[in-house]
Amino acid sequence: IAELRLNELFDVRLDFGPAIMQHAETLAGWSDSDYNLTCAYLTPAHRKTAAQLADWMLEAGMQVHIDAVGNVVGRYLSDAPGAKTLMTGSHYDTVRNGGKYDGRLGIVLPIAVVRHLHERGEKLPFHVEIVGFAEEEGVRFKSTFLGSTAVTGRFDLSLLEQCDTDGVSMRDALAAAGHEASAIGAIARDPADLLGYVEVHIEQGPVLLERDLPLGIVTAIAGSSRYLLHLGGVASHAGTTPMTMRKDAASAAAEIILLVEQRCSQGEALVGTVGQLQVPNGSVNVIAGACTLSLDIRAASDAVRQAAVDDILDGITAICARRQIDYQLELLLSARAAPCAPWLMAQLAQAVESVGIAPYALLSGAGHDAMAMAAITDVAMLFTRCGNGGISHNPLETMTADDADIAAQALLHFLRNFQPK
Ligand code: GLV
Ligand code: MN
Ligand code: MN
């Protein structure tokens, strides 16, 4: 025991930061684009990223496999008879032109911590499983959380027929990457084996930065509704069609975008975004005959979110009726807000205190794999401070090696002291 205590003292001086930052940097070297970091589901860059994560997990003393949906799964096994599993992880896909830490931090940071335990021959009374989720962002196909829903047994198999913008179906993309789509159902984990799921993630916002805090503990993840809205007007001559005789899909879209902005400015912890907007086959001299836009509406409270969604959908109906525009609404996601488990939050708070930081609780406006995992086990999240004013989903996303180290020290303490519910 004396030796263990001594080693724990030495741990305080061990700096995890540089290795974590270096690993995030290495992964950022594989991209679908020559100009920025884009790592979409099952592209060559994505598969290389998976292989690298698997190598690091192996080096860290874990049992590793890549499952049928592309999740990279590493298990640091316990010797304890009947040991159950504490799961951690995050996603390794990125948005287009994304940052280096969104998702990846929650994989490379626990790997660094497990490697440390392994190098010391230190076993825990439970298995630690790190999952690099293959897909969370919904960039290549329209659906999100493909990796984590497979783990929870909630992967919708009808999605296999969805096609990317090049017309490649998810089923074919999986086959091309060497995955067996028919094995996705078998990924589902038995909730009885799980002690919980704890995800480390960069905050992606300015709250911790403004409070001068390196770490924060998430109280809940905001719920989210996503739609694709297809507007149909009449494409006609821009020079000859009088202003009063137009059915302009782009003008209808403009009104709808402002409606989303106005309605979502009235509600607590409510946000609404139109992040995609297209006039398919548009020309400078043709009135927009069609327009497609995305809607993303989020709130801490499901009731607040639903009220905003209802008002916006009513508004769309009214705008389209007045402008004689046809519309079709495609629901992409409806995810309830996911509260974090108080017992896990309390243990994370102790871990944060152990590294000399006052525990600070905050809401996550961003979606995370923890949201999906909450369907089968208790979840919690540890946020790290996001630099550059808190910008994320942007190449300017940044964090410091010091903060990575502090988060890793906190996770190490959390694992060593973890008490199942
Ligand atoms: C995921 O990054 C999301 O919150 O959209
Ligand atoms: Mn993201
Ligand atoms: Mn993320």
Side-chain angles (χ1 to χ4, degrees), residues 54-77:
D55 279 353
W56 286 333
M57 287 176 180
L58 276 172
E59 278 168 31
M62 311 187 85
Q63 210 179 61
V64 185
H65 72 279
I66 298 184
D67 71 19
V69 88
N71 296 326
V72 187
V73 183
R75 283 171 68 77
Y76 184 59
L77 297 175

Side-chain angles (χ1 to χ4, degrees), residues 95-96 225-229 253 256-258 260-261 271-278 292-298 332 393:
V95 291
R96 284 190 196 93
S225 301
R226 285 189 194 174
Y227 296 89
L228 212 52
L229 176 61
I256 290 165
I257 293 168
L258 292 177
V260 170
E261 187 182 49
V271 288
T273 305
V274 174
Q276 287 175 321
L277 178 63
Q278 273 134 19
T292 303
L293 59 159
S294 61
L295 307 175
D296 177 315
I297 296 148
R298 309 187 192 205
L332 299 183
H393 280 185

Side-chain angles (χ1 to χ4, degrees), residues 264-289:
C264 293
S265 303
Q266 306 156 26
E268 203 177 322
L270 171 69
V271 288
T273 305
V274 174
Q276 287 175 321
L277 178 63
Q278 273 134 19
V279 178
N281 306 316
S283 296
V284 65
N285 56 354
V286 180
I287 294 161

Side-chain angles (χ1 to χ4, degrees), residues 137-215:
E137 300 282 12
V139 166
R140 180 165 180 184
F141 299 96
K142 289 182 207 156
S143 308
T144 52
F145 298 107
L146 298 177
S148 42
T149 53
V151 168
T152 65
R154 284 155 178 77
F155 183 97
D156 174 0
L157 290 170
S158 72
L159 300 181
L160 293 170
E161 315 317 325
Q162 253 188 20
C163 289
D164 67 10
T165 49
D166 293 330
V168 179
S169 72
M170 198 186 299
R171 183 187 296 283
D172 289 346
L174 280 161
H179 294 304
E180 187 49 68
S182 63
I184 288 177
I187 295 171
R189 296 298 297 266
D190 177 5
D193 173 50
L194 296 177
L195 297 170
Y197 173 81
V198 176
E199 181 169 349
V200 180
H201 204 286
I202 188 166
E203 183 206 326
Q204 308 185 268
V207 175
L208 295 174
L209 189 66
E210 275 174 8
R211 301 215 163 229
D212 202 17
L213 285 170
L215 301 177

